[in-house]
C-alpha cells in the first residue's frame, strides 16, 4: 500500500474537500440511503487518501474520486437489496382507517437533506440541476435499475461523462455502455416523472400552498387538508408498506392514524431531495405542554403551478432528524 507523507496528505484534503457534497449526492443516488451514502463517502476518502501517492493526474481529481466512489457503491450493492418506496411494491390500500403494520426489515428508500448535497456558492443553473437529480421520484426510479445500469445512467446523464470514460471505469466496451444507457433510459421513462411534473411553481403560489399545508396539519383541519391535494394525490409512509391515493383516502388516514390532537403539532421547514419538506413534531400524552418530539419527515411534490400537492412521502425514521441537523426536541420557547 502506498504511503502518504504529511504534506501530501494535507494537499489531498485541501483539494478533495470541495467534492465531498457532490460525492455524497452521487452515492445517495446509487444507494438510496443517506446513511449508507455517508459511509461510502468516508470509504472513498480513505481509499483515495491511501492511494494519493500513486495518483498521476491523468484524469482530474474529481473524476478520480467519482471513480473510486462508484466502484465502492457497486461493491456495496452486491450484498444489499434495492431500496423501494411503498408505491414500488404493489397497488394502493383501500382502508386508511384499518390496521397498519410496519415492516422495518425492508431497507426503505430514505430522503436526503438538501444541506448535505448542495454545493455552496454554485450558480443557480447548477443548483437546479442538482435538485432535479436527487428528487424523490427520480431516486426511487433508479432503484429499479440493476446496479451497473444505474451507474451508467448516472455517469452519463448526471455527471456527463463520455461513454469511453464510463467503459473504462466499468471495465467494459463503449458499445456495452451505450446499450446499458438505452435500456436504463427506457426503464426510467416508465417510472420517473416528466419535466412538466417536477417544474418549480411560481413563488407566490408555492408560498401560499405551503403556508396552508403547515396550518392545516398543525390544526389537523381535515377539510382544508383535502383542498390541498390533487385528485390523484399519493401518500406513502415508510416503513409502512400500505400507501393511499386520493384526497379523501389521505384525509381518512390523517384523521384516524395520526396520533395528535389539533394544536399539538409543529412543522419546521427543511429542504429534502430538492423539494419542499417539513419536520413534523408532535406532543405525546406524557409530554409537558409546549414540548414536541420528532414524529415524521414530509417530502412534498407540488403539481405544476404550485397550487396543489400531488405526492407526500412521509418518513417515520426519526434518526433522519439528526442527519438533517434538526433539533431533538422542539419547545414553544425554542429548540433543544
Amino acid at each position: 500500500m502506498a504511503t502518504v507523507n504529511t504534506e501530501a496528505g494535507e494537499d489531498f484534503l485541501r483539494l478533495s474537500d470541495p467534492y465531498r457534497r457532490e460525492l455524497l449526492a452521487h452515492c445517495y443516488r446509487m444507494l438510496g440511503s443517506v446513511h449508507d451514502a455517508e459511509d461510502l463517502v468516508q470509504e472513498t476518502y480513505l481509499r483515495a487518501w491511501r492511494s494519493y501517492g500513486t495518483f498521476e493526474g491523468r484524469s482530474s481529481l474529481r473524476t478520480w474520486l467519482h471513480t473510486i466512489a462508484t466502484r465502492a457503491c457497486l461493491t456495496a450493492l452486491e450484498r444489499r437489496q434495492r431500496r423501494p418506496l411503498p408505491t414500488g411494491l404493489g397497488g394502493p390500500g383501500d382502508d386508511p382507517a384499518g390496521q397498519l403494520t410496519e415492516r422495518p426489515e425492508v431497507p426503505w428508500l430514505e430522503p436526503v437533506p438538501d444541506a448535505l448535497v448542495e454545493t455552496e456558492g454554485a450558480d443557480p443553473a447548477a443548483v437546479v440541476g442538482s435538485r432535479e437529480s436527487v428528487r424523490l421520484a427520480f431516486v426511487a426510479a433508479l432503484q429499479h435499475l440493476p446496479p451497473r445500469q444505474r451507474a451508467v445512467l448516472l455517469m452519463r446523464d448526471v455527471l456527463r461523462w463520455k461513454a469511453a470514460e464510463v467503459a473504462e471505469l466499468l471495465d467494459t466496451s463503449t458499445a456495452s455502455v451505450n446499450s446499458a444507457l438505452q435500456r436504463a433510459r427506457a426503464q426510467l421513462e416508465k417510472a420517473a416523472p416528466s419535466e412538466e411534473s417536477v417544474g418549480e411553481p411560481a413563488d407566490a403560489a408555492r408560498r401560499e400552498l405551503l403556508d396552508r399545508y403547515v396550518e392545516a396539519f398543525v390544526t389537523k383541519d381535515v377539510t382544508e387538508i383535502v383542498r390541498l391535494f390533487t385528485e390523484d394525490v399519493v401518500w406513502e409512509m415508510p416503513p409502512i408498506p400500505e400507501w393511499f391515493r386520493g384526497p379523501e383516502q389521505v384525509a381518512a388516514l390523517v384523521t384516524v392514524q395520526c396520533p395528535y390532537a389539533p394544536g399539538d403539532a409543529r412543522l419546521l421547514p427543511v429542504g429534502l431531495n430538492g423539494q419542499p419538506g417539513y419536520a413534523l413534531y408532535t406532543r405525546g400524552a406524557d409530554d409537558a405542554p409546549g414540548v414536541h418530539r420528532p414524529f415524521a419527515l414530509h417530502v412534498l411534490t407540488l403539481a405544476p403551478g404550485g397550487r396543489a400537492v400531488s405526492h407526500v412521502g412521509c418518513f417515520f425514521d426519526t434518526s433522519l432528524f439528526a442527519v438533517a441537523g434538526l433539533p431533538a426536541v422542539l419547545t414553544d420557547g425554542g429548540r433543544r
Side-chain angles (χ1 to χ4, degrees), residues 236-308:
E236 52 188 332
M237 43 195 167
I240 295 169
E242 292 91 351
W243 60 278
F244 299 93
R245 175 180 283 135
E248 288 75 20
Q249 292 277 78
V250 174
L253 180 76
V254 172
T255 300
V256 177
Q257 306 288 359
C258 290
Y260 68 89
D264 280 349
R266 298 290 183 270
L267 276 78
L268 286 185
V270 56
L272 298 165
N273 291 84
Q275 300 171 230
Y278 290 95
L280 173 63
Y281 291 76
T282 61
R283 191 174 78 86
D286 297 330
D287 289 322
V291 173
H292 303 83
R293 302 185 187 279
F295 183 70
L297 293 177
H298 288 196
V299 184
L300 277 57
T301 301
L302 307 188
R307 299 186 184 279

Side-chain angles (χ1 to χ4, degrees), residues 213-234:
Y213 187 91
V214 171
E215 180 66 17
F217 275 89
V218 168
T219 60
K220 209 171 182 181
D221 184 343
V222 176
T223 301
E224 176 65 5
I225 289 171
V226 169
R227 295 194 187 107
L228 297 172
F229 295 131
T230 61
E231 286 302 311
D232 59 351
V233 66
V234 167

Side-chain angles (χ1 to χ4, degrees), residues 129-143:
S130 174
R131 288 178 177 176
E132 292 293 328
S133 69
V134 294
R135 280 189 173 271
L136 199 61
F138 178 70
V139 178
L142 287 174
Q143 304 306 303

Side-chain angles (χ1 to χ4, degrees), residues 129-241:
S130 174
R131 288 178 177 176
E132 292 293 328
S133 69
V134 294
R135 280 189 173 271
L136 199 61
F138 178 70
V139 178
L142 287 174
Q143 304 306 303
H144 292 275
L145 299 176
R148 286 173 69 88
Q149 277 190 29
R150 200 180 308 174
V152 167
L153 184 131
L154 291 174
M155 305 304 285
R156 294 283 284 122
D157 286 358
V158 176
L159 298 180
R160 303 298 180 184
W161 282 31
K162 297 177 181 178
E165 294 174 321
V166 180
E168 182 178 359
L169 185 155
L170 297 177
D171 193 23
T172 189
S173 67
T174 300
S176 294
V177 167
N178 290 334
S179 177
L181 179 61
Q182 188 176 29
R183 294 195 303 273
R185 285 173 175 170
Q187 177 66 31
L188 249 66
E189 284 181 4
K190 301 175 185 177
S194 65
E195 283 190 21
E196 180 183 7
S197 69
V198 297
E200 290 294 331
D203 287 344
R206 173 191 176 103
R207 186 69 266 158
E208 179 185 1
L209 176 66
L210 296 179
D211 287 346
R212 289 171 58 201
Y213 187 91
V214 171
E215 180 66 17
F217 275 89
V218 168
T219 60
K220 209 171 182 181
D221 184 343
V222 176
T223 301
E224 176 65 5
I225 289 171
V226 169
R227 295 194 187 107
L228 297 172
F229 295 131
T230 61
E231 286 302 311
D232 59 351
V233 66
V234 167
W235 182 288
E236 52 188 332
M237 43 195 167
I240 295 169

